[in-house]
Amino acid sequence: MIDKFQSYLTNNFSFLSGKKLLLATSGGLDSMVMAHLFKSLNFEIALAHCNFQLRGMESFEDQLFVQNYADANAIPVFTTQFDTQSFASDYKLSTQVAARELRYNWFYELLEIHNYDYILTAHHADDNIETFLIHLVRGSGLEGFTGIPAQNESVVRPLLAFSREEILNFAAVNGILWREDSSNASDKYLRNKVRHDLVPLLKELNPSFLSSFQNSQKYLNEAQAMVEDATIMIYQQVAIEIEDEIHFDIEKLTKLPNYKSYLYQWLKEYCFSAWDDIYDLVDSQSGKQVFSTHFRLLKDRNSLILAPIIEKESSEIYYIEENQKEVNFPIKLTISNQYHHSIKDNSIIFVDADKLKFPLSLKRYEKGAVFQPFGMDGKSKKVSKLFKDEKLSLLQKENTWILYSNEDIVWVIGIRQDERFKIDTKTTNSLQIAIQL
């Protein structure tokens, strides 16, 4: 196996040569064989062992076993202990998920602090089969069937090409000792049920099942890569990114032969779960929304708009004092004396300073707000009607700030100035108020 392993490294992980490698070492069969292989090939390695304190004295005996192996072979070793159950309870996680988060966070810390280049884990071909079958049982999209990646950034899995049987035989021939995790014998975990009952049956039905599975997974990975390429190309045709929003053109979207699949690919990373509601948005009325924890998808006329959820206080008010020249929050404004008024742009207004009552205030839109739009000769108009005329999306309405003098609107910022504060022939003291672009 060692020759096959060296050849596999040369062909697939040549970048590991000359690097400092941190080996995740539980003390079990797989990780001890991995440590033996890398030590035999004279790589610069260190071992990293997590004691999750889940199996009483067994956990501490595993830790001691790894420590003694490292000492006997002059290999640097790092060990740590976690109160895994408390962490899982505090963050409402399963024990397995909690253990995973704890160990990988610690591994990344070691990588950074001690300047190691890669984390190596001992996942093998049978682990890949088990993961595939677990996803099959629970239900998964195509990406769930593509298997454990051989590399994920700084995490490398160099044993994925080897079966559990190969690893066990290598350990027996080379007298490699390991610790047996007693929890592996329990069928209370789904993975163990798959390992003990389902995989042996599949291997019995097809003695070449492992090889057949690896070929099938190769094809699935190729299909997934093709899906990702198509997803990127179609995204460029359908989506426009505007600041922190993504706008999907519904007309272009619905012309796709399977637009729901594209929507799923684009939106899955934003943790949505109500997929039927998302697909129904295409034919819904404007203003309807679907939410995930941190994002929302809004139907706005001919678009679906993806945007982060920003918690807003409807009552928040920000004040601008007399002689203040700049505002940095919640919107960036500059205030200066101007006497040339040829600029016409919704990002700039000119007002008669003597008509203002300081401090001015900045507020969000409030239902029922009324102002006198510039150029309408004193006629009043609801701000909501202005929004409708300007065809603002719900998100744009929510993010619009209004400048007030006392209770009177001076400017629906970026959209329309109020007639009452305009400069005229009697103006002797004017101000320019502009959005900082």
Side-chain angles (χ1 to χ4, degrees), residues 201-215:
L201 177 60
L202 292 170
K203 289 181 177 179
E204 180 183 332
L205 293 171
N206 177 7
S208 301
F209 174 71
L210 180 57
S211 176
S212 299
F213 171 79
Q214 288 174 323
N215 285 332

Side-chain angles (χ1 to χ4, degrees), residues 126 129-130 133 194-195 197-204:
D126 287 75
I129 293 174
E130 292 162 11
L133 293 171
V194 169
R195 178 179 300 166
D197 302 327
L198 189 52
V199 173
L201 177 60
L202 292 170
K203 289 181 177 179
E204 180 183 332

Side-chain angles (χ1 to χ4, degrees), residues 34-272:
M34 180 173 70
H36 180 90
L37 287 168
F38 277 96
K39 176 180 175 296
S40 300
L41 295 174
N42 297 315
F43 279 83
E44 184 178 355
I45 63 172
L47 310 184
H49 175 83
C50 304
N51 179 350
F52 297 106
Q53 301 190 74
L54 294 173
R55 293 177 288 111
M57 281 306 299
E58 259 190 72
S59 295
F60 289 92
E61 289 167 356
D62 290 348
Q63 180 179 332
L64 182 61
F65 175 80
V66 173
Q67 181 74 60
N68 289 341
Y69 173 85
D71 293 344
N73 290 278
I75 301 172
V77 62
F78 303 95
T79 63
T80 191
Q81 297 172 11
F82 296 118
D83 186 349
T84 310
Q85 294 288 23
S86 294
F87 181 83
S89 176
D90 290 345
Y91 291 92
K92 296 179 173 56
L93 302 171
S94 69
T95 302
Q96 293 92 330
V97 171
R100 176 182 172 80
E101 286 203 16
L102 287 167
R103 71 175 174 266
Y104 276 102
N105 287 340
W106 181 60
F107 291 157
Y108 287 125
E109 285 179 16
L110 291 177
L111 221 63
E112 184 174 349
I113 294 170
H114 299 283
N115 296 314
Y116 282 89
D117 297 297
Y118 294 98
I119 301 161
L120 273 56
T121 70
H123 294 91
H124 50 70
D126 287 75
D127 290 324
N128 224 348
I129 293 174
E130 292 162 11
T131 300
F132 176 94
L133 293 171
I134 288 169
H135 286 156
L136 183 63
V137 170
R138 290 175 173 167
S140 173
L142 178 59
E143 68 274 10
F145 298 133
T146 55
I148 303 170
Q151 183 183 0
N152 187 1
E153 296 180 351
S154 57
V155 178
V156 177
R157 302 173 178 92
L159 293 183
L160 279 179
F162 301 88
S163 68
R164 179 177 283 114
E165 184 178 5
E166 285 179 284
I167 292 169
L168 182 60
N169 289 339
F170 182 79
V173 170
N174 290 274
I176 299 171
L177 302 178
W178 71 89
R179 294 273 301 170
E180 195 64 59
D181 185 339
S182 62
S183 67
N184 287 337
S186 170
D187 278 347
K188 75 174 184 176
Y189 300 114
L190 176 58
R191 181 172 292 274
N192 287 352
K193 290 181 180 179
V194 169
R195 178 179 300 166
H196 298 154
D197 302 327
L198 189 52
V199 173
L201 177 60
L202 292 170
K203 289 181 177 179
E204 180 183 332
L205 293 171
N206 177 7
S208 301
F209 174 71
L210 180 57
S211 176
S212 299
F213 171 79
Q214 288 174 323
N215 285 332
S216 296
Q217 198 158 71
K218 176 187 173 185
Y219 303 144
L220 287 170
N221 274 284
E222 291 171 353
Q224 177 64 16
M226 187 169 61
V227 167
E228 291 172 357
D229 289 344
T231 298
I232 292 169
M233 288 189 292
I234 298 298
Y235 176 87
Q236 293 169 344
Q237 300 171 25
V238 172
I240 299 174
E241 297 180 6
I242 303 174
E243 295 181 349
D244 57 352
E245 300 174 4
I246 301 174
H247 294 232
F248 299 98
D249 186 305
I250 290 176
E251 183 180 358
K252 293 179 180 178
L253 180 68
T254 52
K255 286 181 179 178
L256 299 174
N258 193 357
Y259 73 83
K260 294 180 181 179
S261 295
Y262 286 106
L263 274 178
Y264 174 79
Q265 291 295 326
W266 294 326
L267 299 175
K268 63 184 179 181
E269 64 185 277
Y270 298 98
C271 300
F272 287 98

